[in-house]
Amino acid sequence: MLEHLRAHWTKVMSPPAKLLLRLHVTPDMVTWTGTIGVVIVSVLFFPQGWLWQGAILLGFLVASDSLDGIMARTSGRSSDWGAFLDSCLDRIADGAVFGGIALYYVGKDANTVWATLAIAALIFGQVTSYTKARGESLGYTVNGGLAGRADRLLVGLIGVLLTGLGVTMALPVCLVILAVAGAITVGQRMVLVHKATTARARATADEAQ
């Protein structure tokens, strides 16, 4: 949903990316620093109930998440390793965010319902990314779907922020939305790959005739 804003966001983040390059900061340094920051904030702030504070810090870190890619393209250092590292660390960061939310609800009156929803949102988010990676490894283009990574993080952090400011049902509602949207997105991508594999199989059969 937010993918169409990528070009505009790149223009906004290009000046700080160029500044970091002039300071001899590498894209990999930014990738690691951002991920470590997300993990620390998520596992320290959320379980303690410091929700709005954690949401603001994570919002800053998530907003700068594209810096490494912009730096790599600007400097001509784009590489398969950089793309691989970024994807792997994104999964760790996402796990920390929604794992931290789950821990918040486990510690808050042992509310396993909302904790389970946080885990469900995490699982569907991870599988959404996996469907893309696995589909593309088989030679198919797997894009689109109802909720991409940026959408999931935005909705989740809005829920955390509002709940931290006193709107207690904001985060549970957002978790329901994320779990449902994640399930739909996984289904959409599975259908996409199924159609692509079927079309390829038919084309191969036609060529063999």
Side-chain angles (χ1 to χ4, degrees):
M1 293 171 62
L2 295 177
E3 291 299 315
H4 65 285
L5 298 176
R6 185 180 296 274
H8 299 291
W9 186 244
T10 297
K11 292 180 181 178
V12 173
M13 298 303 292
S14 289
K18 293 176 181 177
L19 174 61
L20 288 173
L21 288 171
R22 286 197 295 270
L23 295 173
H24 304 292
V25 177
T26 67
D28 284 359
M29 290 179 187
V30 173
T31 303
W32 278 106
T33 301
T35 301
I36 292 170
V38 169
V39 171
I40 290 174
V41 172
S42 298
V43 301
L44 289 183
F45 279 59
F46 291 169
Q48 297 296 326
W50 304 334
L51 299 184
W52 68 266
Q53 300 94 330
I56 291 174
L57 288 174
L58 287 181
F60 173 77
L61 291 169
V62 169
S64 62
D65 181 63
S66 60
L67 264 178
D68 51 359
I70 297 171
M71 291 170 64
R73 290 189 295 272
T74 300
S75 63
R77 298 177 187 172
S78 295
S79 64
D80 290 342
W81 163 250
F84 175 80
L85 178 66
D86 187 57
S87 294
C88 290
L89 295 187
D90 280 350
R91 306 290 80 75
I92 293 174
D94 292 355
V97 171
F98 289 98
I101 293 173
L103 289 174
Y104 164 71
Y105 280 115
V106 169
K108 182 179 173 60
D109 303 324
N111 195 322
T112 55
V113 173
W114 303 136
T116 300
L117 274 172
I119 294 171
L122 168 60
I123 291 171
F124 283 121
Q126 301 286 44
V127 176
T128 294
S129 299
Y130 179 77
T131 55
K132 178 179 176 67
R134 182 57 176 156
E136 291 182 347
S137 74
L138 297 173
Y140 302 101
T141 299
V142 187
N143 290 320
L146 183 60
R149 180 174 185 258
D151 306 308
R152 296 193 302 270
L153 289 173
L154 177 62
V155 172
L157 291 181
I158 288 175
V160 171
L161 176 64
L162 291 177
T163 294
L165 293 175
V167 186
T168 56
M169 286 303 296
L171 182 53
V173 168
C174 287
L175 291 176
V176 171
I177 292 172
L178 287 171
V180 173
I184 292 173
T185 304
V186 169
Q188 288 175 316
R189 293 189 172 183
M190 291 179 71
V191 169
L192 180 66
V193 174
H194 182 263
K195 288 181 178 178
T197 56
T198 301
R200 178 183 288 183
R202 287 175 179 171
T204 302
D206 290 341
E207 291 175 359
Q209 291 178 354

